[in-house]
Amino acid sequence: MSEETAHKTRSDMIVCENVDKWFGDFQALKGVTATIAEQEVVVVLGPSGSGKSTWIRCINRLEAHQKGTIVVDGVELTNDLRNIEKIRSEVGMVFQQFNLFPHLTVLDNVTLAPKWVRKMPKTEAENKAKDLLEMVGIPEQAAKYPGQLSGGQQQRVAIARALAMEPRIMLFDEPTSALDPEMIKEVLDVMRDLALGGMTMMVVTHEMGFAKEVADRVIFMESGEIVEEGTPEHFFTNPTEDRTKLFLSQIL
Amino acid sequence: MSETPPQNYHHQKPPFYRDAVVVKWLFQLGALALVVFSLWFLASQARDNLAARDISTGFDFLSVDPGINLSEGIDTRPATGGRALWVGMVNTIRLATAGILAATILGLVVGLARLSNNWVVNKLGSVFVETLRNIPLLVQIILYGAILANLGDLSYDSGWDNWVIWSNKGLSIPRVFIADGFYQWAIFMLIGSIVARWAYKSRQRQHDETGRDTYPWLGSLGVLGVFAVIGWFIHPIFGWVGGIFGAVEDGISKIPEEALQAVISIIAILLAGNWIRNFLRSRRTPGGSAQLTDDDKFRVIFSGISAGLVIVVVYVVWPGLSSWIINSSSDLFGVLEDKFGNGRSGGPFGADRPEVIKPGKFEKYGPSGLTMSIGFAAVFFGVVFYTAAFIAEIVRGGILAVPKGQIEAANSLGMKRSAALRTVILPQALRVMMPPLGNQYLNLTKNTSLAIAVGFSDLVQVGQTVGNQTGKNLSVFAIWMLFYLACSLTISVVVNFFNVRLRIVER
């Protein structure tokens, strides 16, 4: 209970109210309503096609929602390009397929956005990038190209690249799904450190261990709706909804 | 303890037709023999047939007056066959260069239009591509020629006040030419470009240190502009440079022939020796001595033979080579002394306005302007439109080939569209676009030979006329092939240079 009251004193970072999203005739999100507080770590679970990726891609406008409101750090997402750019520069995103820039070195990948968006001096950006690469555990790879790294290393570079913009929120879209099993841990370790450091995080993943250990709250989605949410203890040991029970019985 | 294998187990020699090494060499020799025989057969057939039909070959006609007039070019009444072909080559190169530039720009615009979300722009792009790439180029060239022939007759008042004149005889614009002061001004520009480079670097450094936009390109262009203007007025201060070239000319003409022959031979031997040493060193295994494949041995032997060949050429085949080098380079410096010499106070450039003259019954363009005939325009528009349609598709394909995730990643970092296009999308799209773009440049250059359809004096048209006049069609054919081969190889080298630079490093 003390945990929950603590959340209420913090400001709301992401507020979604009745968010609807269609792809043609198919409704991907149905009235999604949720609030994520500062420094909260939320893990979104659900079967594939349940709309979890679509939801977090709506939060930095990689997909445009059609109904409802999304407010990120006090700025509402509309068609206003200035709002979109402001939100994107405060929300970092890590993709399933890494999406590193293959024609740039690791260092250039990390410094590109600070230089072009924040107008940061080159030396400052490079020093910062080296610190971030140190943090994710691959300082010696700075001069290499993404194609020369392993999957786990590439994903850690992608995390460093997002952090270089000093975001207040980090979105993770299945960050470990494209990785070989032995590389998953190195990425999850970096994410755990980030969560312990107080970053506001929204994570779409299938890593139940990570959800149990790190998440403040678990949200379960199916068919574009939020079915159930709660603390990991509640969610994994004592779920109330039948659909949640079915999902857990299939994966655990 | 297991039984040891028979002592001669590893020494059983297979019969020669099963020995991989022998078989490999036999096939190599067989292939070589086949090629040599084919060439000999073709050459002897050609020789016999040419003799039987009394067709003469040879290149004497290059220095004989062909007695022809050309419709346009750097020289419309060439004194020799070689000069006539050279005029044709310059016309072809002009056409191809202008065509490549225009087709690239137009293709880029149309390709981007086809990716546009604007419905009208998008459809216009589609219509352009689908129409122009599906009509044969020859048809287009003849069509444009026919349309342009409907322009008005040339008279003294067609065009804008003798700045630009157009008619059914073509378009004439002011001709900019290099004037007396150009070479001294060029020294100014050389210094200017060094300073501009410094300015570029210092502005770049400023950007790196502060993060502000410092526009290094604008800065260095500004520096260059200032040098160009100042140099225009005070370039005669470099008049003394001519004297240096004069001194070099005197020095070179005093070099004895034998000394140059010896120096060339020594350099050839040293280069070959150095190359072989480095090569053997690069093939050295950690264990010690070099492991050489047949190919490697061939390379070593070949580099030795090349050095020997150079010496044979210098002393035996062409003993006059060294004196030719001495004479021509001292001549070159003599020309430079003249060009850079004192007393050249005119501007670096001049311009002559076009004019209309009436030597006989009809008006024609005078020699002062830069005139493009209807034929040039027809071929130019033909190859540009036709090639631009293909380039547009290459541009579209290149940009679409960049994975969507790349754009999403740039977006998610808050980068503006323009910044993402410049730093993320274009570098990756260019990598895909470069090889097919090179193909289109090759096609365009070779397609200019269709100029013969509208009577534009390109190399093919001139060559055919020269061939008809002199009867040396076979020799003209050889020159055609060598010229287009040289053009294509030049383009390939340039395109490959960019290919290598754009390559993405992988493990």
Side-chain angles (χ1 to χ4, degrees), chain B residues 19-30 294-295:
Chain B
D19 185 331
V21 177
V22 175
V23 168
K24 192 180 82 181
W25 276 99
L26 282 179
F27 271 109
Q28 300 270 356
L29 288 174
D294 290 344
D295 212 35

Side-chain angles (χ1 to χ4, degrees), chain A residues 146-204:
Chain A
Q148 298 170 304
L149 303 186
S150 73
Q153 290 172 327
Q154 289 193 48
Q155 192 60 297
R156 286 187 279 160
V157 173
I159 295 173
R161 178 177 70 174
L163 290 176
M165 288 294 286
E166 298 181 340
R168 305 194 59 189
I169 304 167
M170 285 287 284
L171 307 176
F172 292 84
D173 187 2
E174 306 205 18
T176 56
S177 299
L179 295 178
D180 292 339
E182 76 270 23
M183 293 172 182
I184 290 176
K185 186 178 175 293
E186 62 190 48
V187 172
L188 290 182
D189 285 347
V190 170
M191 290 168 62
R192 184 180 298 112
D193 291 346
L194 209 53
L196 293 176
M199 175 67 76
T200 310
M201 287 165 62
M202 226 177 129
V203 185
V204 172

Side-chain angles (χ1 to χ4, degrees), chain B residues 73-100:
Chain B
I74 48 172
D75 187 355
T76 50
R77 178 65 191 87
T80 63
R83 176 77 179 164
L85 290 175
W86 172 242
V87 174
M89 286 179 197
V90 171
N91 279 341
T92 294
I93 291 170
R94 275 182 183 171
L95 186 56
T97 313
I100 284 174

Side-chain angles (χ1 to χ4, degrees), chain A residues 96-158:
Chain A
Q96 181 179 356
Q97 299 295 341
F98 328 138
N99 292 348
L100 291 178
F101 306 130
H103 59 299
L104 299 178
T105 61
V106 165
L107 193 67
D108 288 339
N109 262 281
V110 181
T111 57
L112 185 73
K115 280 194 291 190
W116 281 80
V117 182
R118 297 254 191 262
K119 305 285 180 208
M120 192 183 280
K122 188 181 173 189
T123 38
E124 191 187 327
E126 286 183 352
N127 288 335
K128 192 172 167 53
K130 282 172 189 159
D131 290 347
L132 286 167
L133 290 175
E134 184 89 47
M135 196 196 98
V136 299
I138 39 174
E140 72 286 356
Q141 312 284 7
K144 287 194 182 167
Y145 285 85
Q148 298 170 304
L149 303 186
S150 73
Q153 290 172 327
Q154 289 193 48
Q155 192 60 297
R156 286 187 279 160
V157 173

Side-chain angles (χ1 to χ4, degrees), chain A residues 57 60 62 85 88 91 93 95 99-103 112-113 116-117 119-123 145 147-150 161 165, chain B residues 207-213 404-406 408-416 419 422-424 427-428 504-507:
Chain A
R57 285 162 62 83
N60 66 353
L62 289 183
E85 272 164 26
R88 280 177 176 167
V91 179
M93 184 152 190
F95 300 87
N99 292 348
L100 291 178
F101 306 130
H103 59 299
L112 185 73
W116 281 80
V117 182
K119 305 285 180 208
M120 192 183 280
K122 188 181 173 189
T123 38
Y145 285 85
Q148 298 170 304
L149 303 186
S150 73
R161 178 177 70 174
M165 288 294 286
Chain B
H207 169 75
D208 292 346
E209 279 163 10
T210 63
R212 280 189 295 115
D213 289 331
K404 201 167 157 249
Q406 292 289 308
E408 286 183 348
N411 281 342
S412 77
L413 289 165
M415 296 183 72
K416 284 192 190 344
R422 210 179 118 184
T423 60
V424 176
Q428 296 186 61
I504 282 180
V505 180
E506 275 164 24
R507 66 176 70 231

Side-chain angles (χ1 to χ4, degrees), chain A residues 34-47:
Chain A
T35 302
I36 290 150
E38 196 178 350
Q39 300 199 344
E40 195 179 11
V41 177
V42 173
V43 169
V44 185
L45 298 175

Side-chain angles (χ1 to χ4, degrees), chain B residues 248 250-261 322-323 326 329:
Chain B
V248 175
D250 291 343
I252 289 178
S253 63
K254 289 198 184 81
I255 296 173
E257 226 177 280
E258 295 76 16
L260 188 63
Q261 281 177 330
S322 51
S323 73
I326 289 169
S329 45

